[in-house]
Amino acid sequence: MERLLTHINSPEDLKKLGLDELPRLAQELREFIIDIVSTKEGHLGASLGVVELTIALHYVFDTPKDKLIWDVGHQAYGHKILTGRKEIFETNRQLGGISGFPKRSESVYDDFGTGHSSTAISAILGMAMASRSNGDLTKQHIAVVGDASIASGMAFEGLNHLGVADVNALIILNDNAIGIDPSVGALKKYLTNVKKGTAKDENIFECLNLNYSGPIDGHNINALIRELERLKQIDAPKLLHIITTKGRGLKKAEEDQVVYHAPGKFDKVTGERLKKSKGAEPPKYQDVFGHTLVELAERNDKIVGITPAMPTGSSLKFMMDKMPHRAFDVGIAEQHAVTLAAGMATQGLVPFCNIYSTFLQRAYDQIIHDVALQNISVIFCLDRAGLVGQDGPTHHGVFDLAYLRCIPNLVVFAPMNEMELRNIMYTAQLGLNGPIAIRYPRGQGTTLDWKNEFEPIEIGTGRCLREGTKVAMLSIGHIGNEVERAIIALDNPEKVGHYDMRFAKPLDKQLLRTIFERYNHIITVEDGCQMGGFGSAVLEFANGERLSKPVTILGIPDKFVDHGTMEETHKMAGIDFDTLFSYIQSTLDQCG
């Protein structure tokens, strides 16, 4: 039997199918997603869970005239396949290929870019208000939001406004009790009671003045279509509550929803993950953080851990498992996480607030107003700092050095290896007179034997790794290992000095004075943005001290770096091994 999906290249093609053919199409769409993701990698469980919903939405609504937003693009793979990207879907998240998230520049069907959660309600409300303002009263506006995402503060802000807005907008609450990790909080308990039929008489969404319907089975495609057709006729703010299973259609993905959110390569038939046959390797920085935090917490009973919905990804799960009353997943709520940590610290606790660099951007006012302004000793541990690879520009953590360095009272540190990460965590919990941000990258460190005895680090001190005569390389963070590799490969490595500066703030000014005195040319290297980052700090220092040696800043240029492998993104940014080697060698040649 010929596959239905073969003929589906747009929602118009989809609409030619009969209702009785749609379940078969859903099965084919699932198989297509599994087939590609099993070999190319990517996000899996979320898109498998909304296959029927995706088909129903494009069957009922007139996209792209009607506006459709997917809150966090993890669940938008089926949407991409049905909207003209089926033939190129195997390029998903690959260099030069389509994005793993909805992207406005990629397709007219991607109405809003959604790499971070909880933005869809505000965006769809803005579109609906614009349609009303333009006199277009027939256009539909739909946002699909997960139960973890809708618990975020921004989502509630959007719902609060939506309930009093005279607009035609539909929020679809995709309730599967999990985001990346299992959903948490009082709203999750409420939704569980709704599903069981034991919720209190008043419905929270009806109390917010939304036309509520559900919960209905999100895998019953005919029921979905009937309800969407009915809701289409209601010109008012409304919310449809659907129940789905993340990973639906692949047994392993249904059984282990956390791992199969993004499982890597796997056997498309059995679902078994393919193990990489490698020998002993250095640990991931996130695991060094997680194990070290447990080690420190066993010695210091004031230590607590906080993460906004990323316990597995950040490895705070280790502490949550061993010390559940001292480690807290607060849900998708970065602002709350930061201010919660501040409140804890005022009462003598030692909070390690563990947030991906890209997500800390969402709590910028809280860092300034609630922590730094009051000089409260919160320890920020920023995972996934720098370029992160295939998740692309929504997730690259390249702005933190710049956006944190300008905040008074805040120390900013980046370890070059696992031991430095352990030592700065140890130092921070001993007690600092204010907050500190420790930023470390996605992926592996450098050392197999990484469980060193703790040693305190003096705040604001760098270290000399090698002395030279002509050119000084000043690196901060893990990128220093690549700098060291490049220096070793040079014709005259003895002419190049290398300094692991460690602190973007405060700078080691005494060490910098020695460097400017000794070398002809200074090159700074960072896996953060060139503008306003570590290199800028060195230039500011040189200007203030009236030092005139040439300074070159190597870092992320003033553009959003696209998605690709870690190596490819570093090459795009000009901080890969080959670029570093060539630049250092040419600078040496000019210096003579």
Side-chain angles (χ1 to χ4, degrees):
M1 188 182 296
E2 191 173 20
R3 294 172 67 82
L4 296 172
L5 187 58
T6 305
H7 304 288
I8 308 297
N9 296 302
S10 71
E12 289 306 310
D13 296 331
L14 175 63
K15 288 176 171 64
K16 295 172 186 174
L17 298 179
L19 282 172
D20 59 330
E21 295 178 290
L22 297 183
R24 186 174 132 210
L25 177 65
Q27 178 62 28
E28 292 180 11
L29 185 54
R30 273 200 176 87
E31 290 170 359
F32 188 88
I33 293 170
I34 291 169
D35 191 43
I36 299 291
V37 177
S38 67
T39 58
K40 299 294 184 180
E41 302 189 17
H43 297 103
L44 179 69
S47 286
L48 292 182
V50 294
V51 163
E52 288 83 5
L53 176 64
T54 305
I55 292 170
L57 286 169
H58 284 294
Y59 196 78
V60 170
F61 294 102
D62 184 18
T63 55
K65 179 180 177 291
D66 291 336
K67 301 291 105 181
L68 172 61
I69 302 179
W70 298 88
D71 198 285
V72 188
H74 300 149
Q75 56 188 332
Y77 285 7
H79 159 80
K80 291 200 171 203
I81 293 162
L82 295 178
T83 55
R85 287 163 278 184
K86 179 181 62 186
E87 301 304 324
I88 56 172
F89 186 69
E90 64 177 17
T91 71
N92 184 44
R93 292 161 46 92
Q94 311 295 312
L95 180 65
I98 62 173
S99 169
F101 301 98
K103 189 175 182 180
R104 293 182 69 226
S105 60
E106 185 179 291
S107 170
V108 294
Y109 290 94
D110 290 0
D111 288 304
F112 204 75
T114 48
H116 294 182
S117 84
S118 315
T119 60
I121 297 173
S122 297
I124 206 67
L125 175 55
M127 292 177 185
M129 290 173 73
S131 294
R132 180 74 67 179
S133 177
N134 294 332
D136 187 349
L137 305 181
T138 60
K139 186 180 290 185
Q140 304 285 328
H141 308 86
I142 309 100
V144 182
V145 185
D147 59 289
S149 296
I150 207 168
S152 169
M154 185 176 176
F156 263 101
E157 292 169 24
L159 286 172
N160 185 52
H161 187 185
L162 177 64
V164 294
D166 180 23
V167 295
N168 180 15
L170 169 63
I171 309 302
I172 298 177
L173 170 55
N174 174 31
D175 184 359
N176 57 18
I178 187 169
I180 295 175
D181 282 278
S183 302
V184 297
L187 187 60
K188 177 202 174 177
K189 288 188 176 180
Y190 170 76
L191 293 175
T192 300
N193 290 338
V194 169
K195 285 180 275 192
K196 292 193 299 189
T198 59
K200 293 177 181 176
D201 291 340
E202 285 190 312
N203 179 289
I204 190 172
F205 301 110
E206 289 176 343
C207 292
L208 288 169
N209 206 35
L210 302 176
N211 188 314
Y212 172 88
S213 59
I216 68 171
D217 180 0
H219 299 299
N220 184 330
I221 202 161
N222 289 328
L224 279 174
I225 288 173
R226 279 195 305 271
E227 187 58 19
L228 291 174
E229 290 285 8
R230 184 186 76 81
L231 291 170
K232 198 173 166 183
Q233 309 308 314
I234 300 173
D235 182 10
K238 54 225 172 211
L239 184 140
L240 172 61
H241 184 181
I242 70 170
I243 311 301
T244 62
T245 302
K246 187 171 183 178
R248 173 85 167 201
L250 185 67
K251 190 167 183 286
K252 286 282 185 185
E254 292 183 32
E255 290 172 348
D256 194 341
Q257 295 175 333
V258 173
V259 167
Y260 282 81
H261 172 75
K265 293 181 181 179
F266 61 94
D267 186 300
K268 65 183 181 182
V269 177
T270 66
E272 290 287 348
R273 298 167 72 210
L274 303 181
K275 297 205 169 37
K276 296 173 183 173
S277 54
K278 291 184 180 177
E281 292 186 310
K284 294 178 179 177
Y285 275 100
Q286 68 188 56
D287 290 341
V288 173
F289 160 80
H291 289 302
T292 301
L293 186 61
V294 170
E295 198 175 335
L296 291 171
E298 287 171 343
R299 302 182 181 195
N300 183 347
D301 62 7
K302 298 296 185 185
I303 288 176
V304 291
I306 300 168
T307 184
M310 298 301 294
T312 301
S314 69
S315 294
L316 189 67
K317 193 78 166 60
F318 300 150
M319 187 177 183
M320 291 177 72
D321 289 343
K322 283 200 168 186
M323 307 171 182
H325 301 299
R326 293 171 59 188
F328 309 97
D329 177 1
V330 300
I332 302 175
E334 292 85 4
Q335 295 173 312
H336 168 58
V338 170
T339 306
L340 176 71
M344 288 176 162
T346 66
Q347 302 306 301
L349 295 182
V350 180
F352 281 76
C353 188
N354 184 210
I355 303 179
Y356 283 15
S357 170
T358 187
F359 297 145
L360 190 68
Q361 295 161 189
R362 298 162 68 103
Y364 195 58
D365 181 59
Q366 286 68 32
I367 302 167
I368 295 172
H369 180 270
D370 298 340
V371 178
L373 180 61
Q374 304 181 80
N375 206 27
I376 296 172
S377 298
V378 173
I379 303 164
F380 294 107
C381 294
L382 310 189
D383 199 344
R384 274 41 169 203
L387 296 165
V388 298
Q390 292 172 320
D391 277 345
T394 58
H395 282 60
H396 291 323
V398 298
F399 304 109
D400 52 11
L401 288 172
Y403 74 65
L404 293 174
R405 192 174 68 81
C406 62
I407 301 175
N409 295 334
L410 183 63
V411 173
V412 183
F413 180 95
M416 185 173 163
N417 55 41
E418 300 92 326
M419 288 73 74
E420 285 198 326
L421 174 56
R422 283 170 58 79
N423 285 338
I424 197 64
M425 290 175 67
Y426 170 73
T427 303
Q429 58 87 43
L430 289 176
L432 298 177
N433 295 319
I436 183 171
I438 305 165
R439 51 108 62 186
Y440 47 91
R442 173 178 179 248
Q444 292 173 316
T446 62
T447 315
L448 287 174
D449 186 18
W450 56 272
K451 280 201 173 183
N452 58 294
E453 289 296 319
F454 293 118
E455 296 177 10
I457 293 175
E458 185 181 346
I459 299 300
T461 59
R463 59 189 185 123
C464 177
L465 301 178
R466 62 166 63 229
E467 292 186 343
T469 57
K470 298 290 186 181
V471 176
M473 301 297 299
L474 276 57
S475 63
I476 186 165
H478 180 80
I479 192 74
N481 297 290
E482 203 71 350
V483 172
E484 188 64 16
R485 279 185 60 225
I487 293 171
I488 292 169
L490 294 169
D491 295 336
N492 304 105
E494 72 280 356
K495 293 183 178 180
V496 180
H498 185 197
Y499 297 84
D500 172 25
M501 297 305 292
R502 304 197 292 193
F503 291 88
K505 184 182 183 182
L507 290 173
D508 188 338
K509 292 184 178 180
Q510 189 54 51
L511 182 57
L512 284 174
R513 289 186 189 102
T514 303
I515 292 167
F516 272 86
E517 210 173 274
R518 178 168 188 168
Y519 295 91
N520 299 337
H521 195 113
I522 289 89
I523 302 172
T524 70
V525 186
E526 60 199 291
D527 59 349
C529 56
Q530 286 175 326
M531 296 176 67
F534 164 67
S536 292
V538 173
L539 272 182
E540 291 162 14
F541 163 81
N543 183 60
E545 301 262 326
R546 299 186 183 280
L547 301 170
S548 57
K549 297 286 178 70
V551 177
T552 300
I553 300 174
L554 299 182
I556 314 300
D558 186 25
K559 64 179 183 180
F560 290 104
V561 177
D562 212 346
H563 59 273
T565 64
M566 291 287 279
E567 293 76 14
E568 289 164 343
T569 55
H570 277 81
K571 190 174 183 63
M572 283 187 268
I575 54 171
D576 59 301
F577 172 85
D578 290 340
T579 306
L580 289 171
F581 172 82
S582 299
Y583 191 84
I584 302 168
Q585 188 66 64
S586 66
T587 304
L588 270 181
D589 294 343
Q590 291 167 24
C591 290

